[in-house]
Amino acid sequence: MLGRNRFLILLVVGGVTLAVISLSLQFLNLIPSAPTEKRPPQGADGWDGAILAKSRKRVFPETHPPGPNSVGDPYSYCNTPNRSEQAWEGHSPADYKLLSVQVMIRHGDRYPLYAIPKTRRPAIDCTLSPSRNPSHPLLASFISHMGLGGRANWEAPLHSIPRIPNHSSCEMGELTQTGVVQHLHNGQLLRQAYSHHGILPSDWSPRQLGIETTSRSRTVQSGLAFLYGFMPDFDWGRVNVRHQWSTLFCGSACDCPARNRYLEEEQRRQYRLRVNDGELEKTYADMARTVGVLARQLRAANPIDSLLCHLCHGLSFPCASPGDGSAGKCLTMEQFAVIRRQQRNDELDRGRAGHYHKYAILAMYPYLNQTATKMERASRDGARREEVFSLASGHDITISPLLSALGLKDESFPRFAARVVFELWRSPPAKAKQGDRSKGKGRPLFIRILYNGEDVTFHTAFCRSHDRHAGQPLCPLENFLSFVRRDMFSAVNATSYQEACSRR
């Protein structure tokens, strides 16, 4: 009977997968506010529901959310390791030269951040074992190599964080073996994609490789797994790992009062929409009764976070504890269908209101400006010692505003181990036109942006109108620079970051 129930659960789970993977902020309240102290925000890995569920990517073939009884792929968000994946990183017209690569990742699969009261926590082993699935050909050597990590230069407080997950019973928020394997796979994909481009020479210097991460163990360990997949057995002595205290990777430019106001407006909008939804409120009350707690306790426990873990690891949904008056009752897929319906309404309302997009522009400007600056430096003559490969390891609340700020409104909510890649290319000498003033000996410079291996450059706000068939098959870098330095602020009626942040 248990096996049959598990089969039925897996059969219908596809119908609510997108409900699970892109739930709104109103249930989770975890979009970060502007930092006021130099420390990571609490609950820094929350669901902010910032990206519309509709997707055009090959790895997400659904163009509309499936109904509650549909059979779909329940693992788009879970990002099941070792399945085939098309990666378009490293592709360009013939003879174009790759000058730099900058990667932003979300950490891999993790244990929930919250526990549902009066239910059993999911039993997951967070130690690493090459003999346990999912595994990876590099996993054994990765475990061994991490034991040498003391040789690297770690910014405080990163040096005290374990380099691999190490608890037989996972702690809250801990990276799982699945999460490690996901990023070993990501790094290996990019190593294969860039192997013939020589982006990092064999004698690379510490200045050419940039690594930064928040201080959560899951981001530190995800970044190391990615790096090892990209450069197996790398030299620890040449590795400098920088600490990024903000999940927005805004460094010293985080102070932006207007960003806080847009965030508050977005939170108020979502709250109003939620409290006016009677069916949703009834569903949460039903879920609370099922496990024998008050509705407010259930919301505070963030049940979606735990249920995602059950889904991704093939575990049955939680039931009330034995001995409780609700013993034998379990959370259901029908309850998720209601949440999904409300979430779709929220997506439509969010797009109309526009508060989140404005928040995202001000939240991600510092990171995008740093990205633009690195590209400019890498394009200069004699820039061999500049940073040419950058890796930033963050959270869903890092990736979501980044996608929104770039204008990628149709991209799916960032899955575990999602990656955004910025590539800088220079055209061959024969492609340069007389009178072209682009940097680099008159040879034009171009940018590509990829999300989970798919080229989304011509869906960005700065290159959506570019005619890729007009002699320039790639997006000019100048489009990106103008967007970051000026054009993106038109959405907040300003011409600069300073003006936008200080405006009342």
Side-chain angles (χ1 to χ4, degrees):
M1 181 61 69
L2 180 60
R4 181 183 178 187
N5 289 343
R6 184 170 295 178
F7 172 79
L8 291 176
I9 289 173
L10 292 175
L11 185 65
V12 299
V13 71
V16 293
T17 298
L18 291 179
V20 176
I21 67 172
S22 53
L23 286 170
S24 298
L25 168 62
Q26 65 266 33
F27 306 120
L28 308 167
N29 197 27
L30 287 170
I31 289 182
S33 59
T36 57
E37 299 178 280
K38 292 196 173 183
R39 63 174 185 238
Q42 294 299 308
D45 187 44
W47 287 73
D48 64 357
I51 301 301
L52 300 179
K54 184 176 178 182
S55 175
R56 60 174 170 270
K57 300 173 70 56
R58 290 194 191 97
V59 294
F60 303 116
E62 296 277 2
T63 56
H64 297 282
N69 297 317
S70 301
V71 177
D73 177 8
Y75 299 109
S76 294
Y77 171 79
C78 301
N79 190 15
T80 308
N82 298 330
R83 67 177 183 176
S84 60
E85 179 179 353
Q86 180 67 62
W88 288 100
E89 286 94 345
H91 289 250
S92 74
D95 300 324
Y96 277 61
K97 181 175 177 57
L98 182 64
L99 299 181
S100 76
V101 175
Q102 298 180 58
V103 184
M104 172 68 79
I105 61 173
R106 184 195 175 187
H107 61 75
D109 176 86
R110 57 155 172 79
Y111 199 73
L113 295 170
Y114 307 92
I116 301 177
K118 296 189 178 181
T119 64
R120 291 183 178 179
R121 290 175 52 183
I124 300 174
D125 186 348
C126 273
T127 59
L128 301 183
S129 172
S131 62
R132 188 175 70 243
N133 287 326
S135 191
H136 191 279
L138 292 175
L139 183 56
S141 58
F142 167 75
I143 296 171
S144 176
H145 197 67
M146 290 303 102
L148 306 175
R151 301 174 182 176
N153 179 28
W154 301 86
E155 279 190 4
L158 302 179
H159 52 77
S160 61
I161 296 174
R163 291 180 284 279
I164 59 175
N166 57 6
H167 294 94
S168 57
S169 180
C170 293
E171 294 189 341
M172 292 297 185
E174 187 171 12
L175 193 70
T176 66
Q177 176 160 315
T178 299
V180 170
V181 170
Q182 286 168 337
H183 276 303
L184 287 173
H185 177 68
N186 271 347
Q188 187 177 51
L189 278 178
L190 264 63
R191 175 161 56 96
Q192 294 167 350
Y194 299 133
S195 60
H196 64 285
H197 290 289
I199 188 66
L200 271 176
S202 58
D203 61 343
W204 57 274
S205 71
R207 288 190 59 183
Q208 291 177 292
L209 175 67
I211 306 172
E212 58 183 336
T213 173
T214 65
S215 57
R216 302 297 183 184
S217 62
R218 56 187 174 272
T219 53
V220 174
Q221 294 161 3
S222 291
L224 292 175
F226 185 103
L227 183 63
Y228 192 81
F230 185 65
M231 294 192 303
D233 300 321
F234 58 81
D235 181 358
W236 279 110
R238 289 186 278 174
V239 172
N240 299 320
V241 187
R242 300 190 296 268
H243 173 229
Q244 179 55 253
W245 63 271
S246 168
T247 59
L248 300 178
F249 285 70
C250 47
S252 60
C254 286
D255 185 23
C256 185
R259 182 185 66 225
N260 297 356
R261 292 194 290 272
Y262 289 128
L263 178 59
E264 291 166 359
E265 290 172 359
E266 169 65 7
Q267 291 171 331
R268 285 194 292 267
R269 179 202 65 78
Q270 292 184 330
Y271 175 76
R272 288 192 298 267
L273 195 68
R274 177 177 64 81
V275 298
N276 289 328
D277 192 320
E279 185 182 16
L280 178 70
E281 292 298 297
K282 180 180 181 298
T283 297
Y284 264 81
D286 290 343
M287 295 173 70
R289 280 194 296 271
T290 296
V291 296
V293 299
L294 297 176
R296 64 175 180 270
Q297 289 178 289
L298 184 75
R299 286 199 187 92
N302 194 359
I304 304 304
D305 190 49
S306 179
L307 293 175
L308 278 169
C309 181
H310 285 76
L311 172 69
C312 293
H313 289 264
L315 304 174
S316 299
F317 274 14
C319 304
S321 300
D324 191 278
S326 301
K329 295 182 180 180
C330 304
L331 301 182
T332 69
M333 293 297 172
E334 288 77 13
Q335 292 162 338
F336 275 103
V338 174
I339 296 173
R340 172 56 186 159
R341 186 269 310 155
Q342 199 280 338
Q343 190 268 336
R344 286 199 296 267
N345 292 343
D346 179 72
E347 290 169 349
L348 295 174
D349 194 58
R350 181 180 58 239
R352 177 194 59 78
H355 302 311
Y356 184 81
H357 180 59
K358 293 175 181 178
Y359 158 78
I361 285 173
L362 299 184
M364 296 314 297
Y365 164 76
Y367 174 78
L368 289 173
N369 184 54
Q370 181 187 61
T371 299
T373 300
K374 288 179 181 179
M375 287 184 171
E376 289 179 312
R377 289 174 178 171
S379 70
R380 294 171 184 163
D381 296 338
R384 187 175 182 274
R385 293 299 175 183
E386 293 294 339
E387 189 172 304
V388 293
F389 188 88
S390 304
L391 174 62
S393 184
H395 305 258
D396 53 359
I397 53 177
T398 312
I399 298 288
S400 285
L402 177 58
L403 296 175
S404 181
L406 291 170
L408 298 171
K409 299 179 181 180
D410 292 337
E411 292 303 334
S412 60
F413 186 86
R415 67 193 190 187
F416 282 133
R419 67 184 188 272
V420 180
V421 177
F422 296 79
E423 296 177 345
L424 175 64
W425 295 85
R426 174 177 285 155
S427 68
K431 299 292 183 180
K433 297 181 179 180
Q434 186 175 5
D436 194 308
R437 296 177 182 272
S438 297
K439 299 179 179 65
K441 297 184 177 179
R443 294 161 57 183
L445 298 164
F446 301 94
I447 185 175
R448 291 179 77 225
I449 296 181
L450 303 102
Y451 181 48
N452 294 334
E454 196 77 16
D455 190 337
V456 295
T457 311
F458 291 100
H459 298 289
T460 61
F462 61 87
C463 219
R464 196 174 292 137
S465 60
H466 176 71
D467 184 1
R468 72 186 84 177
H469 303 294
Q472 289 185 335
L474 300 181
C475 180
L477 176 63
E478 199 60 42
N479 287 29
F480 178 66
L481 298 179
S482 298
F483 172 75
V484 172
R485 306 283 165 72
R486 182 186 66 248
D487 299 342
M488 66 187 296
F489 301 110
S490 63
V492 291
N493 297 318
T495 58
S496 69
Y497 181 63
Q498 291 73 20
E499 178 188 354
C501 287
S502 58
R503 174 169 292 177
R504 292 187 177 275

